[in-house]
Amino acid sequence: MAKLLSLLIMFILFIFFFFFFTPTLSCPPECQKQALLQFTASLANLTDDDLKHWNSSSDGCLFPFVKCSSSNVVEIVLGDLNPYRTPWRVWTSTILTPLFHIRTLTVLDLSFNEIRGELPRNGFANLSRLEHLNLRGNHFNGSLPSQLFQLRFLQTLDMADNSFHGNIPPEIGNMTKLSYLYFSGNNFFGEIPTSIVSLKELTTLDLSFNSLSLEIPIEFGNLSNIDDLDLSYNNLTGIIPSSIQKLTKLVALNLINNMLTGEFPSWLFDMKNLTSLLIGGNNLIWNNSAKIVPKFTLSKLSLRSSGLAGKIPDWISTHKTLVHLDLRENQLEGTFPQGLAEMNFEYINLSDNRLTGSLPPQLFGFNLLVLSLSRNNFYGKLPSNISNATRLMALMLDGNNFSGKLPKFISNINLCLLDLSNNKFSSNTLPDFSSNVNLRIIDLSSNEFSGEISTNLFQTTFLSLGKNKFSSFPKNLTHMSNLEYLDIHDNKITGELSNSICQISTLQILILRNNSLQGSILDCIFNLTNLQILDLSINHLVGKIPTNLGNLTGMIEMPGEIFSRFGKYFATVENQVLDKLGNWNKAKRVMSFKTNDLIVNWKKSIQGLSIDNLKGYSLLDLSMNQLSSEIPASLGNLKALKIFNISHNNLFGRIPANLGDLKNLESLDLSHNNLSGSIPQSIANLLQLTIFDVSNNKLKGKIPEGSQMDTMNDPKSYANNSGLCGMQIQVPCSKQPLPTKPPELKSKETWFSWEGVGIGYAVGFFVAVGISYLSNSCKTFNYCSQQRRQRV
Ligand SMILES: *[C@@H]1O[C@H](CO)[C@@H](O)[C@H](O)[C@H]1NC(C)=O
Ligand SMILES: *[C@@H]1O[C@H](CO)[C@@H](O)[C@H](O)[C@H]1NC(C)=O
Ligand SMILES: *[C@@H]1O[C@H](CO)[C@@H](O)[C@H](O)[C@H]1NC(C)=O
Ligand SMILES: *[C@@H]1O[C@H](CO)[C@@H](O)[C@H](O)[C@H]1NC(C)=O
Ligand SMILES: *[C@@H]1O[C@H](CO)[C@@H](O)[C@H](O)[C@H]1NC(C)=O
Ligand SMILES: *[C@@H]1O[C@H](CO)[C@@H](O)[C@H](O)[C@H]1NC(C)=O
Ligand SMILES: *[C@@H]1O[C@H](CO)[C@@H](O)[C@H](O)[C@H]1NC(C)=O
Ligand SMILES: *[C@@H]1O[C@H](CO)[C@@H](O)[C@H](O)[C@H]1NC(C)=O
Ligand SMILES: *[C@@H]1O[C@H](CO)[C@@H](O)[C@H](O)[C@H]1NC(C)=O
Ligand SMILES: *[C@@H]1O[C@H](CO)[C@@H](O)[C@H](O)[C@H]1NC(C)=O
Ligand SMILES: *[C@@H]1O[C@H](CO)[C@@H](O)[C@H](O)[C@H]1NC(C)=O
Ligand SMILES: *[C@@H]1O[C@H](CO)[C@@H](O)[C@H](O)[C@H]1NC(C)=O
């Protein structure tokens, strides 16, 4: 019996030890220290000195990013190790492995470290005491390991802004202590598991920016502690469950951009605690005649594309606490309500409505950061007190009927982005923006500006001035050392190009089409090594095509990352604004800034290229000038070119065989010149060619055959020459008669089939422009001082 008793005591002791001391026994402090060292060693040289120091110290608890409790490591907080996003070695998810030995951990925060790869399948079960897990802002992919859902004590689970995919498993309902759940900005799909409603402690649920579909679980109202619910930017369907009205603690509700249907729930207006209601971009039916007396007091409201018609609802103006208002993409009419203008907005977006009238001066209050009234029918002058809005960062008034001069004091505003395109603004001197160090994006295209183009735009990267009446090109462009995009097409610019343009070596896109430029193409143009698109067509340029053009590196190398940057500028500006708005997570895609397409002559028709997606578009257009020289053989270097147009000039001599090296060429237009000799056989090497025009020259001899050339059989492309022959134009060459009978049949067949291929090469252009949700940081640009770590 005593034996049995002692056995029992031993057993109880064993159980006791097992449950209480197992973690320390299986990995005592020294083992924990070694695990930490192993982990930090894998974090590369960043911590080399520290490592030595730590290794010699006796205790892992002395590591600066660690907290201990009775000699056991309980917290590891090591986020944002590479704040400037300098390229380092790649960290993979295997660096987590040593940490799974530290079974005493309650807090693990490795957010914003750019760790990639899948989370280890095994290991999380070891961290059974974990209460807070933050892996936000890395590049983790794959699905979530099932062991994660065994962590019963977890209160915070932050997996936002990674690349996780897969379903959210129903086991999530087992984590009953969960208070904060962030899964936003991943690729989760499938339904929201109903089991999620058993998370009674949940106060914040953010599943935004995924691909979740099907209906919101009808019992969402069981989440009785929730105060912040964000399901925006998913594919959710069905109605908004009426059980949500039971959530009396709800302060912020964001359902923007789903596919929710049904009538707009009027009970929402009775939810007294709500301060942020973002619900636009669904298919809800809005009862425009309903009398609304809201019981909440909002600071943020979005009813974006919600079918609102008529005047801006009166009840909105009664919310004096409103700082953020997004009513874009509705059918709102009438003028800007005076009451609304007198409020203290930070952010107003009323773009894409039918609003009219002039702008009330009171609108430009001190707090305003973003004002977007794009694509309405507003008119009149800009109020002269516009500079009262000294904090304004983004002003988007494009697509209205504004007129008059720009108020002089507009330059007192520290703007980042100014889009006044498609209005009737006129003046022959632009304001002096020389002290506006943040003004990176300026679009004044399609207005009536005239005079000399101002160069007092020191930091501007993107300058779009097309379709105005500017008459002279700036003499001194030395200041504009950041310019990458300069578009001045369809103006009235006369005189010669200034040599100083050759100093802007950042320039990637230069469009001067349809002006009255004189003189010759500058020899120094080779200095613009980043130039990817050069359009000097429809001017009065004379002289030769400089041999130097063949040295334009931007047209030689296959365009890389650099060419898709413009989309990022807009995202960058947006990030800056969001940093100021202080709600980076909550208001992604707030700007709705749409750039005008880049208009060029692409394959014989004027086309718009989406500026967001210029990667791979390289173009050289010198057509419709009076250039007279031979075609320099060096142009064969420009291997990245897709479009090459030198038609309608006085070029003479032979077509250089080197043009056959332009392997990416899709369109080659040499028509309306004085070119002589024959078409070089090398042209048949251009396998991407879909447009080929040599008409109106003095060419003779056999048109090359083989591959794409067999499809180039439009007689108009060869008309008016001095004796071209070949199967393409059904003119037999005398020396080499067309093969008869079976071969001819065969070649006819080939023409047909190749035509299909030709069509296949067409590239889609009108890719939607919009600010995409980019999780990349703004740190690439030094002007943006705000750091991403300031996010929640
Ligand atoms: C720590 O030091 C020991 C011996 O001093 C060495 O064997 C070990 O590799 C070191 N660990 C790291 C991570 O540097
Ligand atoms: C870290 O090491 C890499 C090579 O592994 C090196 O290129 C880089 O400059 C180092 N960084 C620092 C901050 O020492
Ligand atoms: C879990 O912890 C134990 C004890 O420290 C260790 O032996 C085991 O390797 C750990 N499991 C994983 C997957 O790291
Ligand atoms: C995760 O990313 C790595 C590269 O970082 C890749 O090799 C792997 O295939 C990806 N896994 C999944 C499931 O996409
Ligand atoms: C976890 O959840 C699943 C599915 O919801 C359930 O079948 C299982 O019993 C749960 N496990 C525990 C330990 O509660
Ligand atoms: C979500 O909806 C959009 C628009 O209908 C569709 O293009 C997309 O494929 C959908 N995504 C998923 C994962 O269903
Ligand atoms: C939601 O709450 C109701 C009432 O409290 C309960 O009957 C129901 O089972 C709950 N649903 C879920 C899925 O937990
Ligand atoms: C607002 O929330 C508080 C708790 O935060 C709660 O006590 C109160 O009842 C709520 N008000 C309403 C009207 O539901
Ligand atoms: C602009 O600001 C000045 C002083 O800061 C103020 O006196 C004036 O009333 C403001 N104008 C408007 C229209 O708000
Ligand atoms: C152009 O402007 C720069 C900077 O103000 C100045 O240093 C330079 O002398 C100017 N060049 C000419 C030709 O006027
Ligand atoms: C070429 O560009 C550099 C700046 O990258 C500039 O300093 C130099 O003056 C330019 N050369 C010519 C000929 O314009
Ligand atoms: C242009 O490239 C050619 C080689 O293609 C080279 O000989 C010449 O020096 C280059 N010219 C300049 C100005 O870089």
Side-chain angles (χ1 to χ4, degrees):
M1 194 66 195
K3 223 174 174 182
L4 205 68
L5 199 69
S6 64
L7 252 175
L8 192 69
I9 289 171
M10 267 173 70
F11 180 72
I12 290 171
L13 272 179
F14 174 80
I15 295 283
F16 179 78
F17 270 87
F18 186 84
F19 279 104
F20 239 77
F21 293 104
T22 310
T24 33
L25 284 181
S26 56
C27 188
E30 178 56 27
C31 151
Q32 295 182 10
K33 177 185 141 186
Q34 285 310 321
L36 284 177
L37 279 171
Q38 218 184 322
F39 170 65
T40 48
S42 62
L43 291 181
N45 41 7
L46 165 78
T47 50
D48 257 1
D49 281 344
D50 293 338
L51 270 180
K52 283 201 199 90
H53 178 64
W54 298 339
N55 200 3
S56 57
S57 76
S58 56
D59 197 345
C61 294
L62 295 174
F63 292 13
F65 54 88
V66 155
K67 273 199 190 131
C68 285
S69 165
S70 18
S71 301
N72 284 307
V73 176
V74 292
E75 288 190 21
I76 297 179
V77 178
L78 198 55
D80 214 358
L81 280 172
N82 184 5
Y84 299 103
R85 300 288 178 273
T86 40
W88 273 350
R89 75 174 68 170
V90 173
W91 294 338
T92 59
S93 51
T94 50
I95 68 170
L96 301 180
T97 315
L99 299 180
F100 295 130
H101 294 275
I102 309 176
R103 305 178 67 145
T104 44
L105 269 188
T106 59
V107 177
L108 178 58
D109 178 349
L110 299 175
S111 54
F112 300 112
N113 280 328
E114 315 216 332
I115 311 172
R116 12 192 115 241
E118 296 180 41
L119 286 180
R121 301 289 104 179
N122 286 314
F124 278 104
N126 266 8
L127 306 183
S128 58
R129 299 180 174 192
L130 214 50
E131 292 170 8
H132 303 281
L133 177 59
N134 185 355
L135 300 179
R136 173 185 289 257
N138 285 287
H139 302 293
F140 291 118
N141 62 358
S143 56
L144 295 174
S146 59
Q147 289 195 352
L148 205 55
F149 300 98
Q150 295 169 17
L151 304 177
R152 288 179 302 130
F153 299 117
L154 214 53
Q155 295 166 29
T156 308
L157 179 56
D158 190 345
M159 297 296 191
D161 297 333
N162 279 288
S163 303
F164 289 115
H165 77 165
N167 292 304
I168 300 177
E171 284 77 16
I172 196 149
N174 291 349
M175 304 162 96
T176 49
K177 292 276 189 301
L178 219 47
S179 291
Y180 302 91
L181 180 56
Y182 304 96
F183 277 179
S184 68
N186 283 288
N187 305 314
F188 290 113
F189 53 81
E191 63 181 341
I192 302 175
T194 305
S195 64
I196 214 163
V197 311
S198 40
L199 301 179
K200 296 281 180 262
E201 305 290 323
L202 211 53
T203 60
T204 299
L205 176 60
D206 184 356
L207 305 178
S208 62
F209 290 95
N210 281 291
S211 301
L212 297 168
S213 56
L214 300 174
E215 303 190 0
I216 302 175
I218 199 150
E219 279 153 324
F220 240 60
N222 283 23
L223 291 168
S224 53
N225 273 310
I226 205 137
D227 62 29
D228 187 349
L229 176 58
D230 189 348
L231 306 177
S232 63
Y233 290 92
N234 278 290
N235 277 0
L236 298 168
T237 55
I239 59 162
I240 301 176
S242 64
S243 69
I244 286 184
Q245 63 189 301
K246 289 195 295 183
L247 304 177
T248 51
K249 291 185 182 164
L250 202 60
V251 170
L253 177 63
N254 188 351
L255 300 174
I256 284 187
N257 269 48
N258 279 286
M259 303 194 287
L260 299 167
T261 51
E263 224 174 281
F264 192 94
S266 55
W267 45 259
L268 276 173
F269 296 104
D270 298 328
M271 300 191 70
K272 286 189 193 135
N273 276 353
L274 219 50
T275 65
S276 172
L277 177 59
L278 312 176
I279 204 170
N282 283 289
N283 304 321
L284 300 172
I285 299 166
W286 180 269
N287 182 350
N288 275 303
S289 59
K291 179 104 185 83
I292 294 162
V293 187
K295 298 197 175 124
F296 48 51
T297 311
L298 293 183
S299 60
K300 284 188 202 164
L301 175 64
S302 168
L303 294 172
R304 167 184 187 176
S305 61
S306 296
L308 296 182
K311 289 169 64 175
I312 295 179
D314 287 338
W315 64 266
I316 294 178
S317 308
T318 64
H319 285 254
K320 298 297 178 201
T321 46
L322 213 53
V323 293
H324 177 115
L325 178 63
D326 183 357
L327 299 177
R328 67 184 123 153
E329 297 154 20
N330 284 294
Q331 286 98 49
L332 293 167
E333 294 168 353
T335 56
F336 201 109
Q338 187 65 28
L340 212 55
E342 282 163 9
M343 286 157 64
N344 258 325
F345 282 109
E346 284 187 346
Y347 171 92
I348 306 178
N349 195 336
L350 301 178
S351 59
D352 298 292
N353 278 287
R354 298 168 189 163
L355 297 163
T356 183
S358 54
L359 295 186
Q362 292 79 3
L363 181 55
F364 295 94
F366 173 72
N367 287 324
L368 199 60
L369 290 170
V370 176
L371 178 62
S372 177
L373 304 175
S374 308
R375 297 170 296 277
N376 277 284
N377 299 317
F378 288 111
Y379 56 80
K381 292 185 173 183
L382 290 190
S384 55
N385 74 315
I386 191 166
S387 57
N388 271 21
T390 44
R391 297 173 71 208
L392 193 60
M393 298 175 84
L395 179 59
M396 292 162 280
L397 302 178
D398 52 299
N400 283 285
N401 279 312
F402 290 110
S403 57
K405 291 187 176 187
L406 297 188
K408 187 168 163 222
F409 294 114
I410 197 171
S411 56
N412 290 3
I413 309 174
N414 206 0
L415 286 169
C416 295
L417 185 159
L418 177 63
D419 187 355
L420 302 178
S421 61
N422 296 300
N423 278 290
K424 296 195 175 99
F425 286 111
S426 60
S427 70
N428 61 3
T429 44
L430 293 180
D432 180 358
F433 284 112
S434 53
S435 56
N436 295 55
V437 290
N438 289 328
L439 191 50
R440 298 297 289 252
I441 299 171
I442 301 178
D443 192 344
L444 303 179
S445 60
S446 299
N447 277 288
E448 290 162 18
F449 290 108
S450 56
E452 180 169 334
I453 291 168
S454 160
T455 54
N456 294 321
L457 305 161
F458 285 6
Q459 300 299 324
T460 305
T461 303
F462 180 98
L463 184 56
S464 182
L465 303 173
K467 291 199 174 165
N468 277 290
K469 295 173 181 167
F470 286 112
S471 58
S472 69
F473 197 77
K475 299 278 173 298
N476 190 350
L477 285 155
T478 327
H479 310 295
M480 318 254 308
S481 54
N482 289 310
L483 200 60
E484 297 187 6
Y485 182 107
L486 179 59
D487 184 355
I488 324 183
H489 75 270
D490 292 300
N491 274 278
K492 299 183 182 314
I493 295 174
T494 54
E496 302 192 6
L497 274 178
S498 148
N499 266 321
S500 66
I501 199 165
C502 299
Q503 301 193 357
I504 315 177
S505 52
T506 43
L507 214 53
Q508 293 176 30
I509 295 183
L510 177 59
I511 314 241
L512 301 171
R513 185 182 59 253
N514 199 11
N515 280 287
S516 302
L517 288 170
Q518 292 151 339
S520 52
I521 301 176
L522 299 167
D523 247 347
C524 63
I525 205 149
F526 73 90
N527 208 28
L528 301 179
T529 47
N530 287 308
L531 214 55
Q532 177 200 353
I533 293 184
L534 175 60
D535 185 349
L536 302 176
S537 63
I538 324 185
N539 277 292
H540 306 311
L541 296 169
V542 295
K544 59 189 179 63
I545 299 179
T547 317
N548 269 335
L549 274 185
N551 290 47
L552 289 173
T553 326
M555 299 186 185
I556 296 174
E557 287 153 10
M558 270 316 277
E561 177 69 19
I562 193 167
F563 298 113
S564 55
R565 263 166 51 178
F566 292 108
K568 286 189 193 163
Y569 284 128
F570 309 132
T572 302
V573 169
E574 178 159 39
N575 283 354
Q576 263 188 306
V577 172
L578 291 171
D579 277 335
K580 276 274 165 52
L581 286 172
N583 53 1
W584 207 97
N585 285 302
K586 289 292 160 197
K588 290 162 191 161
R589 295 189 186 172
V590 291
M591 299 256 283
S592 79
F593 170 62
K594 295 187 186 130
T595 51
N596 296 300
D597 281 356
L598 168 68
I599 309 291
V600 291
N601 182 352
W602 191 270
K603 301 194 188 179
K604 300 207 149 189
S605 66
I606 297 293
Q607 303 247 24
L609 305 185
S610 159
I611 287 170
D612 239 7
N613 189 20
L614 287 178
K615 191 170 172 156
Y617 297 115
S618 186
L619 172 148
L620 179 57
D621 191 345
L622 308 176
S623 64
M624 301 215 194
N625 279 289
Q626 289 134 38
L627 299 169
S628 55
S629 69
E630 300 198 8
I631 303 173
S634 62
L635 297 185
N637 291 344
L638 305 179
K639 297 203 167 43
L641 272 190
K642 288 200 183 220
I643 304 287
F644 181 42
N645 188 351
I646 48 175
S647 65
H648 295 272
N649 278 291
N650 303 318
L651 301 168
F652 52 82
R654 303 176 74 90
I655 301 173
N658 310 44
L659 294 191
D661 296 341
L662 301 174
K663 292 275 166 15
N664 288 296
L665 213 57
E666 294 177 18
S667 173
L668 176 59
D669 192 347
L670 308 175
S671 65
H672 294 273
N673 279 295
N674 282 313
L675 300 170
S676 54
S678 59
I679 304 172
Q681 177 61 35
S682 62
I683 297 296
N685 299 341
L686 304 178
L687 300 181
Q688 314 283 329
L689 208 60
T690 54
I691 304 270
F692 179 61
D693 193 344
V694 291
S695 66
N696 297 289
N697 277 293
K698 294 178 179 149
L699 297 165
K700 59 185 180 206
K702 183 164 180 285
I703 300 167
E705 284 175 18
S707 52
Q708 266 317 79
M709 278 311 290
D710 292 350
T711 70
M712 300 292 149
N713 53 5
D714 181 354
K716 278 192 234 124
S717 307
Y718 303 97
N720 285 334
N721 272 292
S722 311
L724 284 172
C725 63
M727 60 152 182
Q728 289 92 341
I729 50 174
Q730 322 262 329
V731 175
C733 296
S734 49
K735 280 183 199 154
Q736 202 185 0
L738 271 182
T740 42
K741 283 137 282 167
E744 189 187 22
L745 246 177
K746 198 179 162 213
S747 57
K748 264 193 178 154
E749 265 170 20
T750 3
W751 297 356
F752 275 108
S753 50
W754 273 104
E755 230 154 356
V757 175
I759 292 164
Y761 280 115
V763 186
F765 298 112
F766 298 96
V767 183
V769 182
I771 294 176
S772 50
Y773 158 55
L774 291 177
S775 60
N776 65 304
S777 68
C778 52
K779 282 161 202 135
T780 341
F781 311 98
N782 53 11
Y783 71 99
C784 182
S785 58
Q786 300 289 323
Q787 303 246 320
R788 202 166 58 158
R789 64 170 99 192
Q790 286 181 351
R791 293 192 251 161
V792 183

